Amino acid sequence: RYKAVIFDLDGVITDTAHYHYLAWKRLAESEGLPFDEAFNEHLKGVDRMGSLELILAQGSRSYSQEEKLALADAKNRHYVELIATMTPADVLPGVLDALAEVRAAGMGIGLASVSKNAFTVLDKLGIRDRFDQVVDAALIANSKPHPEIFLTAARQLGVDPKDCLGVEDAVAGVASIKDAGMVAVGVGSPEVLTRADYVIPSMARFRLGDY
Ligand code: G6P
Ligand code: MG
């Protein structure tokens, strides 16, 4: 039925969503701003500056562009420290089987992450060569929930968006898939990922034939 499957990275392929959470939490707290898991759900899938804007909007003080860049840079340095120790053992359960299943079905495999650290993470996990196309986040003007990144992945793979299945853990990511005209598999909770066509609790439950 599908010609390609396009995966998100953070929170789908590996648990870097948790590292982003830890790094943003420390940053928010250093600015005296509230931060918890529920608020973090809104940040998942949103690019670095977009996430920072959402965090700073929780307070009343205004920040200059220079201050914002310094804060984003501090968060990224902490994040890069956290991912430095990652190894191939950090690929989440079920992911390698899912990639093999898609490959065996003769479908294209894409990666759509707005993270500028995506290539580093793929290399640390040792799985870059399992993707036919990895979108370069530096070339994406509009972060998820905008559909640009999933549409770009489909174009790079040479397939029509309607022939693509997208896999995402984020509310913004599922919106990006749906607005690209694709079918969405959410990884997480159905109460959170309300726009997903299918929801699985983890990648260990990914079965291509179910969608
Ligand atoms: C992904 C993550 C977000 C992160 C964004 C940018 O979308 O889900 O949590 O903020 O990438 O990541 P970067 O590594 O470029 O700061
Ligand atoms: Mg994600």
Side-chain angles (χ1 to χ4, degrees):
R1 164 158 188 225
Y2 301 102
K3 293 193 174 138
V5 182
I6 302 170
F7 295 87
D8 171 46
L9 175 67
D10 300 311
V12 170
I13 301 291
T14 185
D15 201 14
T16 36
H18 185 62
Y19 294 146
H20 281 296
Y21 165 78
L22 291 176
W24 282 128
K25 185 172 162 64
R26 189 168 92 179
L27 193 281
E29 285 170 356
S30 78
E31 291 301 300
L33 297 167
F35 198 86
D36 60 21
E37 296 266 7
F39 178 71
N40 186 60
E41 285 303 325
H42 303 292
L43 304 184
K44 288 184 180 174
V46 177
D47 67 12
R48 198 179 304 165
M49 290 308 282
S51 298
L52 179 68
E53 296 285 359
L54 290 172
I55 291 168
L56 298 182
Q58 299 281 103
S60 50
R61 141 155 150 70
S62 66
Y63 292 79
S64 69
Q65 192 56 21
E66 203 179 4
E67 287 175 305
K68 287 179 188 172
L69 290 172
L71 290 172
D73 195 51
K75 181 271 176 178
N76 190 55
R77 272 184 277 116
H78 184 200
Y79 179 73
V80 167
E81 247 172 65
L82 292 171
I83 62 173
T85 56
M86 288 178 71
T87 71
D90 293 306
V91 175
L92 283 169
V95 168
L96 296 181
D97 287 343
L99 292 171
E101 192 185 8
V102 176
R103 173 70 70 225
M107 298 174 190
I109 304 180
L111 189 96
S113 170
V114 299
S115 172
K116 305 219 164 52
N117 293 295
F119 287 104
T120 306
V121 170
L122 287 180
D123 288 340
K124 291 213 156 280
L125 298 174
I127 57 168
R128 204 208 268 223
D129 61 354
R130 294 182 192 236
F131 296 86
D132 299 308
Q133 293 293 331
V134 176
V135 177
D136 182 352
L139 306 176
I140 297 299
N142 304 288
S143 172
K144 298 169 190 175
H146 193 284
E148 180 180 352
I149 190 156
F150 277 94
L151 290 173
T152 303
R155 183 165 13 90
Q156 285 184 204
L157 287 158
V159 297
D160 202 301
K162 70 171 178 4
D163 296 323
C164 294
L165 186 67
V167 186
E168 261 290 350
D169 68 314
V171 174
V174 169
S176 174
I177 294 170
K178 293 309 296 172
D179 290 343
M182 302 178 182
V183 174
V185 176
V187 184
S189 135
E191 285 80 56
V192 174
L193 304 173
T194 54
R195 283 190 70 193
D197 298 287
Y198 305 90
V199 180
I200 51 176
S202 79
M203 281 302 289
R205 300 285 287 275
F206 183 91
R207 304 283 179 274
L208 194 51
D210 289 352
Y211 317 122

